[in-house]
Amino acid sequence: MDSGILQTEKDTSMDPSTSAGVDKLGGTSSSVLSSNQHVTPILDHELQHLSLESKPKSSKPKIKKPASISEYKPEPWMLQSDDQEIRRQINLAVVGHVDSGKSTLCGRLLHALGLISKKQMHKYEKEAKEKGKGSFAYAWAMDEGPDERERGITMTVAVKYFDTEKYHVVLLDSPGHKDFVPNMISGATQADAAVLVVDASIGSFEAGMGVNGIGQTKEHSQLIRSFGVENLIVAVNKMDMVEYSKDRFNFVKSQLGIFLRSCGFKDSSITWVPLSAMANENLMTTASDSRLLSWYNGNCLLKSIDSLPPPQRDVSRPLRLPICDVIASITLGQMAFCGKVEAGGIRTGSKVLVMPSGDLATVKTIERDSSSCNLARAGDNIAVGLQGMDPSHLVSGGVICHPDFPVHVASRLELKILVLEITTPILVGLQFELHIHHARVSASLVKILSLLDQKTGKASKKMPRLLTTRQAAVVEVKLDKEVCVEEFSALKALGRVFLRSRGNTVAVGIVTRILDEA
Ligand code: GTP
Ligand code: MG
């Protein structure tokens, strides 16, 4: 398998019935994006290009830059992250082909860490057995929905927490089934690192690699890489099914390794762990089965998680906290929301700017994992209670900012996009839905400025008439409504976009220029 073969995989398109997660999630999440296309490594390479490329010199941007962004200095409390007694948070997406054992692995971990009571586990075992799904008992700790249990597959992302020596781990157990790729993406967009679970058993690993059709081992790897995940643990699961064979492990490692490299993962950022979630082998403690012990003396899964490099926390920039969901709770009050701090920090008692309305509000309460805290920094998922503003101005898709450094608000953007698998070419005038962080807005394609060479990222043709599958281009789009946005080069999380049309993701891209500003 080499990159040449990868190119031939362009024709692997997925079942178009992927809208399940989209409607359900509504407009509240960038994670709602659906991709029922097979994204090749070009996407990743292209995104890397895109992020490095300087802006075209010829046209003058009409934008007003926030005048004083260079004057921003983080306050001391934002920087003191290492001497805090609280563990650093790491969002870990668990991804991989259907039935590879992701939920079982998560359930096993939680159980072994004492986070599932004996009584609860007993209940899972009993109920799973009654339904003729005895082997799914651990997965039931993650798959809580009745449909999920009935079908024995994960449909939505289950979120659980546990602590290692170094980290407060937010575990995002993603669905592997191809119909639920949009939901898997919701986990991937929040991930700092990922555990890619592969089924080592004969035939199953091959299925995940797409030997007989579409393999989500590959698709998920490409997606998480394109969302900026650099560090990966490959959990080579179900080793009990292959007698803990060193040869089989090495085969999986070499085959998948070539592919992961082609996606842009560095060898040094991949940790390979042979294990059996079912037999609780090499999960929490070093290997105990003599067949595994005879050739493996590396880290167990938990140790590998603990050895991941800490996620970058961008506190050098002013507060940016995209609003994922507006909520109301007894502890947070009637005016509250949840989201992930993407830049800067936030503290109780401080004033924040609520965009796009421009309301000033005071931070009343902050909660992390349902317990209150005084402050949060970039990388933290939190829920926040506000006071002193018009509640109708608090909307999902908005962004909470530092009062002196508002986020850009714009309705005309220049994007660099990569077209996914499409059946009809993209023409000027195309109406689509633009997804950016947790906002989604109707938009139209105003201009196709240039086609980009896939390899160099340079413009290869000016003003092409249309775009087809796999082409990369610079385009101008007009939004029906203003959105909060940053250029990708300034803040990735607020400058990454998805274009959806008729229930399909037709292109992914980044914001290269903000062309007008409110
Ligand atoms: P989706 O979420 O639907 O993609 O599946 P999943 O990856 O979460 O797999 P799940 O945990 O639901 O497990 C699928 C099946 O594999 C179940 O029958 C598990 O018992 C079985 N399984 C999981 N881990 C192991 C393992 O280490 N060894 C063996 N033999 N079976 C396993
Ligand atoms: Mg599952």
Side-chain angles (χ1 to χ4, degrees):
M1 199 184 328
D2 58 27
S3 51
I5 291 174
L6 272 175
Q7 303 299 319
T8 64
E9 287 183 359
K10 287 176 190 173
D11 58 354
T12 36
S13 59
M14 293 184 57
D15 186 318
S17 56
T18 52
S19 54
V22 178
D23 296 340
K24 196 158 74 190
L25 289 163
T28 58
S29 166
S30 64
S31 43
V32 288
L33 312 161
S34 149
S35 164
N36 55 5
Q37 281 84 13
H38 193 73
V39 183
T40 74
I42 297 162
L43 160 62
D44 175 58
H45 294 157
E46 189 51 37
L47 283 179
Q48 283 173 7
H49 257 312
L50 305 183
S51 63
L52 296 173
E53 272 256 310
S54 58
K55 296 166 206 166
K57 291 185 188 83
S58 53
S59 45
K60 279 197 192 101
K62 286 175 258 168
I63 29 161
K64 296 178 273 170
K65 284 259 170 211
S68 48
I69 203 114
S70 59
E71 290 160 26
Y72 176 76
K73 296 249 173 344
E75 292 174 45
W77 61 267
M78 291 180 194
L79 303 170
Q80 295 158 357
S81 58
D82 292 330
D83 54 6
Q84 295 271 320
E85 70 289 355
I86 51 164
R87 289 181 175 85
R88 297 188 73 168
Q89 177 177 311
I90 190 164
N91 291 356
L92 202 60
V94 182
V95 299
H97 195 65
V98 67
D99 276 351
S100 54
K102 300 175 290 298
S103 303
T104 303
L105 183 123
C106 294
R108 256 295 186 199
L109 266 180
L110 296 175
H111 180 252
L113 286 159
L115 297 169
I116 302 174
S117 69
K118 254 201 183 123
K119 197 169 148 215
Q120 190 62 45
M121 197 60 232
H122 188 72
K123 193 163 167 264
Y124 291 144
E125 275 166 2
K126 191 166 157 262
E127 288 173 1
K129 214 176 200 161
E130 277 167 15
K131 286 254 152 87
K133 298 234 179 261
S135 70
F136 285 87
Y138 288 102
W140 279 26
M142 309 303 290
D143 299 338
E144 288 169 347
D147 284 357
E148 295 186 310
R149 291 180 171 186
E150 193 66 43
R151 290 178 63 180
I153 60 167
T154 303
M155 296 181 185
T156 56
V157 176
V159 184
K160 301 277 175 187
Y161 311 94
F162 67 88
D163 288 344
T164 64
E165 233 167 76
K166 208 164 112 191
Y167 291 123
H168 175 62
V169 181
V170 179
L171 204 58
L172 305 154
D173 177 27
S174 312
H177 195 282
K178 65 180 167 58
D179 285 358
F180 301 102
V181 169
N183 294 359
M184 174 270 164
I185 292 177
S186 93
T189 53
Q190 298 167 49
D192 296 309
V195 177
L196 172 65
V197 181
V198 293
D199 182 341
S201 46
I202 312 293
S204 299
F205 167 68
E206 287 75 7
M209 295 295 281
V211 174
N212 297 312
I214 305 148
Q216 271 65 50
T217 302
K218 281 186 173 178
E219 186 181 24
H220 285 191
S221 311
Q222 290 168 337
L223 281 169
I224 52 168
R225 186 65 197 90
S226 71
F227 291 125
V229 171
E230 288 175 7
N231 294 291
L232 188 67
I233 296 172
V234 184
V236 183
N237 190 29
K238 306 199 189 180
M239 286 298 289
D240 57 303
M241 302 281 281
V242 293
E243 309 291 330
Y244 295 96
S245 155
K246 181 184 177 182
D247 287 348
R248 182 65 179 167
F249 176 77
N250 283 339
F251 175 77
V252 169
K253 188 174 168 180
S254 71
Q255 296 285 297
L256 184 54
I258 295 168
F259 181 75
L260 294 176
R261 241 169 275 139
S262 77
C263 293
F265 285 104
K266 289 199 196 100
D267 275 350
S268 56
S269 307
I270 310 174
T271 312
W272 299 84
V273 187
L275 51 85
S276 167
M278 205 55 161
N280 193 12
E281 185 61 44
N282 208 24
L283 288 191
M284 305 278 302
T285 49
T286 42
S288 60
D289 191 292
S290 56
R291 290 168 294 181
L292 184 56
L293 258 180
S294 67
W295 58 270
Y296 183 78
N297 61 4
N299 284 338
C300 64
L301 180 66
L302 197 65
K303 198 93 204 221
S304 305
I305 293 172
D306 221 19
S307 307
L308 287 166
Q312 297 272 319
R313 289 170 169 256
D314 191 357
V315 290
S316 64
R317 290 172 191 276
L319 173 67
R320 296 287 183 262
L321 169 48
I323 302 166
C324 178
D325 255 326
V326 175
I327 51 176
S329 81
I330 295 165
T331 47
L332 292 164
Q334 290 305 302
M335 210 162 34
F337 66 94
C338 62
K340 182 182 175 194
V341 187
E342 295 293 355
I346 184 167
R347 217 169 25 160
T348 46
S350 63
K351 285 250 183 289
V352 290
L353 189 65
V354 182
M355 295 298 278
S357 71
D359 286 39
L360 264 185
T362 307
V363 179
K364 205 175 79 179
T365 22
I366 303 177
E367 281 184 4
R368 194 189 287 129
D369 306 339
S370 311
S371 18
S372 81
C373 54
N374 297 327
L375 57 92
R377 303 184 185 82
D380 291 334
N381 290 74
I382 51 170
V384 179
L386 296 175
Q387 61 185 17
M389 65 171 285
D390 179 346
S392 69
H393 291 168
L394 189 69
V395 288
S396 77
V399 176
I400 305 294
C401 311
H402 186 296
D404 302 332
F405 303 92
V407 68
H408 296 267
V409 176
S411 63
R412 199 174 264 266
L413 304 171
E414 182 193 271
L415 312 173
K416 280 188 185 175
I417 58 165
L418 178 69
V419 180
L420 302 180
E421 301 285 340
I422 50 171
T423 42
T424 358
I426 293 180
L427 297 162
V428 169
L430 173 81
Q431 299 287 319
F432 60 93
E433 205 170 56
L434 182 100
H435 292 247
I436 178 161
H437 51 92
H438 301 297
R440 83 179 186 191
V441 56
S442 300
S444 57
L445 185 67
V446 179
K447 278 182 205 157
I448 306 175
L449 296 163
S450 60
L451 205 63
L452 298 175
D453 183 286
Q454 296 272 354
K455 288 203 178 73
T456 62
K458 297 256 153 55
S460 63
K461 189 176 174 194
K462 291 254 179 276
M463 298 288 187
R465 228 172 44 78
L466 49 83
L467 295 173
T468 59
T469 296
R470 301 284 146 207
Q471 286 188 325
V474 182
V475 301
E476 192 178 314
V477 298
K478 164 119 190 49
L479 318 181
D480 288 0
K481 218 173 73 192
E482 285 167 336
V483 291
C484 299
V485 55
E486 295 281 3
E487 289 176 2
F488 183 79
S489 56
L491 188 60
K492 289 182 183 174
L494 270 72
R496 195 178 275 142
V497 298
F498 294 77
L499 278 57
R500 304 196 76 235
S501 171
R502 295 196 194 134
N504 296 328
T505 304
V506 292
V508 297
I510 61 175
V511 177
T512 43
R513 285 204 297 155
I514 296 166
L515 297 172
D516 73 334
E517 209 174 331

